[in-house]
Amino acid sequence: MKTMQIRTAQSVETEDTFDPTSLRPWADSLELAIVVDTIGQIMEVNRAFARKFGRPTRSWRHESLAALIHPDDLPAHEAMADRLVRPPYHIQREHRWKTAQGWRWIAWEETALRNEFGEITATRAVGRDVTKHRLAEEHFRKISQAVEQAPVSVIITTPGGTPQYVNSRFTQATGYTLETVFENEIPLLRDGHPSEQSYRDCCAILANGGKWSGELKTRRRDGSEAWEFVQNSPIRNAAGEITNLLCLREDISERKALEEQLRHAQKMEDLGAMAGGIAHDFNNIISIVRGYSEMALALPQLDEQLERYMRSVYEAARRASALVEKIMLFSRKSDVRYRPVKVHSLAEEFIGFFTETFPRNIEFERDFQAPQDTIAADPDQLRQLFVNLCVNARDAMPEGGSITVSTRAVPAGSSRRPDLLSTQDYLRIGVSDTGCGMPEDVRRRIFEPFFTTKGESKGTGLGLAVVYGVVKNHDGVMEVLSEVGKGTEFEIFLPLRGSTEAASMPFDWNKGPTIPSGDERVLVVEDEEPIRELLSIALQESGYDVVVVSDGAEAADLILGGDDHFDAVMLDLNMPRMGGIEVLRLLSAGCLRVPVLVMSGHLTREVRRDLEQFSPAAVLAKPFDLGILGNSLRQVLDARKSES
């Protein structure tokens, strides 16, 4: 027996055979040590293992090792165990173990223990807690992935500005790799600064430990430019010394483009507001010039030379009036001025124009089926509609094709479209092309302001937005049908309705201002003295009994006082003290049935909506011819007589 013990002890020193005392060298070690038999049961642990797992050393015998391993790691742990039965009978592995401190990563070096016959009798494992190292590696991996996959360009340089690292986003955005930057000696921190002084100021801030940020226009490898929001900051070591510089560059080209478009739109908005502000006063002035010119031309035995002069004055006033309309249209602030418009004639006008100006490989076809093509609409806005739709169709056919303009009647209740009123007749206008068509995701966005598929410098993205606005201004409905490779068709449904606004008519030079005579009592409410005088003279010469006041408050006192009876009221809207809308509201509240002819130099959509509440007998836009005013007044008075 004694000989056997000595022999066993010698075997421990000479070969890697099992011995219950094989953990003796690790008894006082800080490393964890354990011996496990061939079926995975613990045979012996050292004191470090016992402390780590929170149980005395002797209590571990015959415990299952698998119970300590994280369930997710157990399959990998068992799979690697097969490598222990093959030379070199040694493996290394890391898994999560359930310790007294919770789940911890432990790295093990495991060796198969064999007897003198080479048979594996047990496994000895020596390990150490590597949780902090694993967490640090995981943390570094996440940071590395975050930097590499960041949506902004990341550049790391030396304190002197020499690039040391660029991420993938930088390469994607600029086309430069780190090698290309090195080869071409590209000064990345200098790129985009408008001047050398600007760059030196940035370097001075960074050298003093500060941060610098700003918007720079940088250049890509292909020569194109991009706006970027750049942030530069120093990187310090544990001693507080600046070891590197960090540069973050975010591409803001799209935002800058939108800002530019917004500034342009705001400029147009401001121009519209300015034009609207002066329109009333300017139209009043034109009304005075036109009115007195008409009256002068109507004088008997007018000197021939003076007549020629007055005609020139009158024509100049008409051109000034047209100029105001163009300014309002240009600024997209023109109100909807309903007039009788023949859609077929308007379409023919543009088809003829486009036939001459569009490429020869584009043909126009007509399909006019609507028996009634005259609608109440704003002709200027309908022109915008036709221009934008036809130009859009042309751009969709770079290789040529055909554009079809069609019309058909949609009687009330004949359409199944839920967005069409069942009690309203409509005129359907169609503009279709044989172009490239649109995918569904593009079709859904075509009416968004500034959305365009035509690329830079080829489209503003406002054309179809304007078309949409014109249709909505006319209380219409629009539908777009498109398929890739098969073309696009725009369907527009405009309501057929009348208009309370007086239509324009040419001035008859021979007859002068034709104001039908009458003897009714008319109240003229106008704050501009020359216009009050003009209307008073013109109406009195036609036999009317005219009372004039300078603002709405005076008119309200007269009408509501009951002392004076008026057959009609000619009412300006924009006046001091009390405006025309307030006068209409008082008349409505007092249930007074006196007919009102509204006059205004600036009929916006908001004003029209307010007027709809009170239903004035007629609406007349300044500047107007005296003949139009007289006929409108006569129609209002005659309509009242027929009702009574």
Side-chain angles (χ1 to χ4, degrees):
M1 185 66 125
K2 184 175 181 181
T3 303
M4 179 64 72
Q5 292 174 349
I6 294 173
R7 183 178 174 183
T8 303
Q10 288 174 345
S11 67
V12 172
E13 297 174 359
T14 59
E15 62 183 20
D16 202 9
T17 57
F18 172 74
D19 189 296
T21 63
S22 58
L23 289 185
R24 186 171 297 170
W26 290 275
D28 298 320
S29 174
L30 295 178
E31 294 182 320
L32 314 179
I34 185 173
V35 176
V36 183
D37 62 19
T38 56
I39 62 173
Q41 290 186 342
I42 298 174
M43 300 178 65
E44 186 177 359
V45 301
N46 70 346
R47 284 190 289 273
F49 184 95
R51 288 193 300 270
K52 190 69 175 177
F53 287 86
R55 286 172 54 184
T57 55
R58 298 190 181 191
S59 66
W60 287 99
R61 186 174 291 276
H62 303 305
E63 290 286 335
S64 172
L65 186 69
L68 301 175
I69 303 173
H70 195 286
D72 293 344
D73 296 344
L74 190 57
H77 183 274
E78 294 175 346
M80 289 192 67
D82 294 339
R83 294 170 51 187
L84 273 172
V85 301
R86 300 188 301 271
Y89 306 106
H90 183 85
I91 62 173
Q92 296 179 348
R93 52 185 170 180
E94 294 181 11
H95 296 300
R96 288 166 291 181
W97 292 69
K98 190 175 184 179
T99 70
Q101 295 84 34
W103 294 104
R104 306 287 291 180
W105 284 94
I106 299 179
W108 297 97
E109 292 188 15
E110 301 182 41
T111 304
L113 302 178
R114 296 171 292 138
N115 60 19
E116 62 270 26
F117 305 108
E119 298 170 339
I120 297 176
T121 57
T123 300
R124 182 181 62 232
V126 178
R128 63 189 61 84
D129 190 328
V130 294
T131 303
K132 290 184 179 180
H133 178 70
R134 285 293 297 245
L135 291 177
E137 283 186 341
E138 181 67 16
H139 185 61
F140 176 79
R141 183 184 65 82
K142 289 179 179 179
I143 292 177
S144 177
Q145 290 179 340
V147 171
E148 191 62 23
Q149 300 175 27
V152 299
S153 298
V154 179
I155 304 167
I156 298 177
T157 73
T158 63
T162 303
Q164 292 185 319
Y165 168 82
V166 296
N167 69 342
S168 299
R169 176 58 185 168
F170 172 84
T171 301
Q172 294 170 4
T174 65
Y176 292 113
T177 62
L178 186 59
E179 291 77 11
T180 308
V181 173
F182 282 142
E183 291 172 2
N184 295 275
E185 298 181 350
I186 300 174
L188 297 183
L189 294 185
R190 172 66 178 84
D191 185 25
H193 282 277
S195 65
E196 194 64 31
Q197 184 61 46
S198 172
Y199 175 58
R200 285 198 295 267
D201 292 343
C202 171
C203 292
I205 293 173
L206 295 174
N208 292 326
K211 299 178 181 179
W212 183 92
S213 63
E215 296 180 355
L216 301 178
K217 183 182 284 188
T218 57
R219 187 173 295 276
R220 301 186 178 101
R221 188 174 186 179
D222 60 6
S224 61
E225 294 181 331
W227 277 102
E228 293 185 312
F229 178 65
V230 181
Q231 301 178 78
N232 296 331
S233 59
I235 300 176
R236 301 177 183 272
N237 60 15
E241 301 168 333
I242 297 177
T243 58
N244 295 93
L245 297 178
L246 174 65
C247 176
L248 303 179
R249 293 169 34 166
E250 179 186 2
D251 192 330
I252 58 172
S253 301
E254 184 176 352
R255 193 193 79 192
K256 293 290 285 188
L258 290 175
E259 287 178 354
E260 182 62 30
Q261 291 173 339
L262 182 61
R263 279 194 293 271
H264 177 71
Q266 186 61 52
K267 184 177 12 177
M268 300 296 289
E269 186 77 18
D270 293 342
L271 178 59
M274 180 184 67
I278 68 173
H280 179 266
D281 292 338
F282 195 50
N283 282 330
N284 277 342
I285 296 172
I286 297 174
S287 296
I288 296 168
V289 175
R290 286 175 62 173
Y292 279 108
S293 299
E294 288 183 55
M295 294 183 65
L297 288 168
L299 292 175
Q301 300 177 348
L302 183 64
D303 179 81
E304 181 178 346
Q305 185 177 8
L306 182 58
E307 180 181 351
R308 187 170 64 253
Y309 293 164
M310 293 308 301
R311 287 187 181 186
S312 297
V313 172
Y314 180 82
E315 285 299 329
R318 288 182 66 91
R319 289 198 302 273
S321 177
L323 179 61
V324 173
E325 290 188 17
K326 290 180 180 179
I327 292 175
M328 300 294 286
L329 183 63
F330 169 75
S331 65
R332 294 186 178 91
K333 281 293 182 181
S334 59
D335 48 287
V336 181
R337 302 186 67 171
Y338 289 100
R339 302 172 187 171
V341 178
K342 291 185 176 294
V343 175
H344 291 173
S345 299
L346 188 65
E348 287 286 2
E349 172 188 336
F350 278 98
I351 289 174
F353 173 75
F354 290 139
T355 300
E356 296 297 326
T357 57
F358 278 12
R360 297 301 181 186
N361 57 2
I362 293 180
E363 298 180 350
F364 277 88
E365 297 181 3
R366 304 159 179 81
D367 183 19
F368 299 151
Q369 299 183 22
Q372 177 188 348
D373 70 312
T374 302
I375 63 173
D378 188 315
D380 293 327
Q381 293 196 16
L382 284 192
R383 289 188 178 95
Q384 287 189 72
L385 183 146
F386 274 112
V387 168
N388 286 316
L389 288 182
C390 290
V391 168
N392 199 68
R394 177 203 64 188
D395 294 342
M397 300 184 294
E399 305 300 325
S402 64
I403 300 174
T404 301
V405 180
S406 61
T407 64
R408 65 179 176 85
V410 183
S414 64
S415 175
R416 296 183 179 180
R417 293 180 60 93
D419 46 3
L420 296 183
L421 297 176
S422 59
T423 57
Q424 174 69 61
D425 295 328
Y426 288 89
L427 174 69
R428 175 197 172 276
I429 303 173
V431 178
S432 62
D433 62 66
T434 58
C436 58
M438 295 176 285
E440 180 61 22
D441 59 330
V442 173
R443 190 193 68 80
R444 287 196 300 264
R445 299 187 59 193
I446 57 173
F447 296 120
E448 294 180 12
F450 309 123
F451 176 76
T452 179
T453 59
K454 299 179 182 179
E456 296 182 3
S457 303
K458 293 184 179 180
T460 63
L462 291 173
L464 292 180
V466 169
V467 170
Y468 180 83
V470 169
V471 174
K472 290 301 180 183
N473 283 349
H474 289 78
D475 299 323
V477 174
M478 176 181 290
E479 177 74 16
V480 183
L481 307 174
S482 185
E483 187 174 347
V484 176
K486 296 186 178 181
T488 301
E489 180 176 16
F490 289 84
E491 290 186 325
I492 299 161
F493 299 86
L494 298 180
L496 293 171
R497 61 186 174 190
S499 171
T500 59
E501 184 173 322
S504 178
M505 62 182 68
F507 175 66
D508 190 335
W509 296 108
N510 297 320
K511 297 182 179 179
T514 305
I515 301 179
S517 60
D519 58 0
E520 290 88 351
R521 187 174 179 81
V522 178
L523 174 63
V524 176
V525 188
E526 170 63 59
D527 63 320
E528 288 284 342
E529 182 178 355
I531 296 181
R532 288 200 307 271
E533 184 178 353
L534 171 67
L535 295 177
S536 177
I537 294 173
L539 294 176
Q540 285 178 355
E541 288 183 352
S542 297
Y544 292 98
D545 180 11
V546 181
V547 177
V548 295
V549 295
S550 60
D551 60 55
E554 291 185 50
D557 291 341
L558 284 176
I559 298 172
L560 299 179
D563 295 334
D564 291 277
H565 169 74
F566 296 101
D567 297 297
V569 176
M570 301 181 69
L571 178 66
D572 186 30
L573 291 183
N574 190 7
M575 295 180 295
R577 294 178 62 192
M578 179 181 291
I581 297 296
E582 287 74 13
V583 174
L584 286 172
R585 186 173 289 110
L586 284 174
L587 293 177
S588 176
C591 298
L592 299 179
R593 297 179 57 83
V594 57
V596 179
L597 190 154
V598 170
M599 305 176 295
S600 177
H602 186 45
L603 286 169
T604 64
R605 296 195 70 200
E606 292 75 12
V607 170
R608 290 183 181 277
R609 282 197 294 267
D610 291 338
L611 290 177
E612 288 177 358
Q613 304 176 33
F614 308 109
S615 301
V619 178
L620 196 65
K622 296 178 182 178
F624 43 72
D625 291 333
L626 291 178
I628 295 175
L629 179 141
N631 283 308
S632 298
L633 176 61
R634 190 66 261 164
Q635 291 173 7
V636 168
L637 293 170
D638 292 343
R640 186 190 186 194
K641 287 181 179 179
S642 63
E643 291 177 359
S644 59

